[in-house]
Amino acid sequence: TGLKTISPSFDNIGFFSRDIEGLALVAEIVNGDDGIDIYSEGVKKKKFTSLIYKKNNLYIPQVLLVKNSEFDDLSKKTLKIYESIIKELNGVITEIELPKEIESIDEEFERIYFSELSFYAESDFNSQKKFFSKDFSERMTRGKSVTVCDYLKAKKKIEKGRRFFEEIFDQFDSIVSFGEYGKLKKKSQVYKDTILSKISNFYGLPSLSIPIFDKKEKLPLNIQFIGEDFGDAKLLRTAKLLIESKGEIDEWKQLQKNFSYFRIITIDLIF
């Protein structure tokens, strides 16, 4: 509420915090039906803080680790850190590769995003065209070239993928993957999205990113979790349990020593 709509399929709210408890507190304040946002209509408010502190000694989270082609591109130093974490999580983690039809979403993402952008920004663009960049103008043109048939096919892929993840979350509490933000692209000076960043955004699933800072690098390494639809509280709890239970190894201690930020994208807060 109060934000400009650009792409209803992908617009979402993200939070940053120094720890998971702080993130849970912010999410608790803004989640659920506020009587204004049609996308969260009927969604009950959740007590995130009480849920993440709920004790259950018999509860062992089951995590699915995604190791696709991107994982092979990580540096040896990064792989060593992640492999030690995977070893420590033995018994709660299962490794898979996502099906290509689920992972390959770039074309469909662009079709949906650019077409919705050209529709919702058309009035502002036409009235203030001279203030917009050449890149933005090109995006508007691309959006107008997307046919209704191509748009609907792309939306159909989202529905198919969401059914796939529903089956996944019947067996697992969270999906996790690793990324490397330590190197910038020379031309754009921005880092590439991780596998799960694209997946969570495209299929509308809540996600949580935890950085591992190395003082020698400008940008952090990244551990990312995604959870089931409207499973934000469960996602926070799973991430908190894994971090706290593995706090004895050096890589996890490094998380606590350095300034850390967290991000969660909540499906019930999409505008």
Side-chain angles (χ1 to χ4, degrees):
T1 304
L3 297 182
K4 178 70 175 177
T5 298
I6 296 297
S7 173
S9 296
F10 303 130
D11 290 351
N12 49 66
I13 297 297
F15 308 120
F16 292 80
S17 174
R18 292 198 62 165
D19 51 39
I20 292 180
E21 289 82 359
L23 187 56
L25 182 60
V26 176
E28 184 173 306
I29 294 170
V30 302
N31 88 97
D33 191 349
D34 61 2
I36 302 174
D37 178 17
I38 62 172
Y39 293 98
S40 62
E41 185 176 351
V43 178
K44 294 182 179 180
K45 285 187 172 292
K46 296 178 181 177
K47 296 290 185 180
F48 287 92
T49 50
S50 61
L51 286 170
I52 66 170
Y53 285 117
K54 189 176 181 180
K55 296 293 184 181
N56 185 347
N57 295 330
L58 298 177
Y59 174 67
I60 302 176
Q62 295 300 309
V63 179
L64 194 64
L65 172 64
V66 173
K67 292 180 68 174
N68 285 40
S69 56
E70 216 172 75
F71 199 87
D72 297 330
D73 296 332
L74 299 175
S75 67
K76 291 182 179 179
K77 178 182 176 182
T78 302
L79 279 173
K80 185 177 180 181
I81 293 174
Y82 289 149
E83 284 170 357
S84 66
I85 294 174
I86 293 170
K87 184 178 179 181
E88 288 293 322
L89 293 175
N90 183 37
V92 303
I93 197 163
T94 303
E95 298 181 16
I96 68 159
E97 286 194 12
L98 289 176
K100 288 295 182 183
E101 60 268 23
I102 297 296
E103 183 187 355
S104 303
I105 55 177
D106 290 346
E107 289 185 10
E108 287 81 6
F109 182 91
E110 290 185 358
R111 287 171 186 167
I112 295 171
Y113 177 77
F114 289 136
S115 61
E116 291 181 350
L117 172 68
S118 66
F119 177 79
Y120 285 96
E122 184 175 26
S123 178
D124 291 334
F125 179 72
N126 290 335
S127 62
Q128 305 179 60
K129 190 176 293 186
K130 64 180 180 180
F131 296 107
F132 288 92
S133 66
K134 181 181 178 181
D135 179 65
F136 188 86
S137 299
E138 291 175 351
R139 293 187 177 195
M140 292 290 291
T141 301
R142 288 183 65 181
K144 292 180 182 296
S145 68
V146 177
T147 66
V148 174
C149 184
D150 286 340
Y151 176 83
L152 292 177
K153 283 182 178 178
K155 292 286 284 187
K156 193 75 174 179
K157 186 164 187 175
I158 294 179
E159 295 175 14
K160 184 178 180 181
R162 286 175 67 84
R163 289 194 295 271
F164 168 81
F165 285 108
E166 283 178 6
E167 294 180 6
I168 290 291
F169 289 118
D170 282 340
Q171 304 175 57
F172 296 93
D173 297 295
S174 179
I175 300 175
V176 66
S177 189
F178 302 123
E180 184 174 35
Y181 289 172
K183 296 180 180 179
L184 294 166
K185 289 183 178 180
K186 291 182 179 179
K187 292 184 179 180
S188 63
Q189 292 295 293
V190 297
Y191 57 77
K192 184 174 68 172
D193 283 342
T194 62
I195 294 172
L196 294 192
S197 292
K198 296 186 290 184
I199 293 294
S200 63
N201 200 21
F202 186 74
Y203 295 111
L205 300 171
S207 68
L208 171 70
S209 296
I210 300 176
I212 299 179
F213 281 87
D214 186 331
K215 294 179 180 179
K216 295 181 180 179
E217 299 288 353
K218 293 182 179 179
L219 292 173
L221 307 176
N222 178 54
I223 300 177
Q224 186 174 31
F225 298 84
I226 64 172
E228 63 185 314
D229 194 9
F230 289 104
D232 311 64
K234 186 177 183 181
L235 178 65
L236 285 167
R237 186 184 178 199
T238 300
K240 185 174 184 294
L241 283 171
L242 290 177
I243 291 175
E244 289 181 348
S245 64
K246 301 304 169 186
E248 68 275 8
I249 64 173
D250 291 341
E251 285 73 21
W252 287 114
K253 286 180 180 178
Q254 194 171 1
L255 279 171
Q256 300 168 353
K257 289 180 180 178
N258 294 278
F259 174 84
S260 299
Y261 64 84
F262 299 82
R263 178 172 67 92
I264 186 169
I265 301 173
T266 48
I267 183 65
D268 52 315
L269 294 176
I270 288 181
F271 290 81

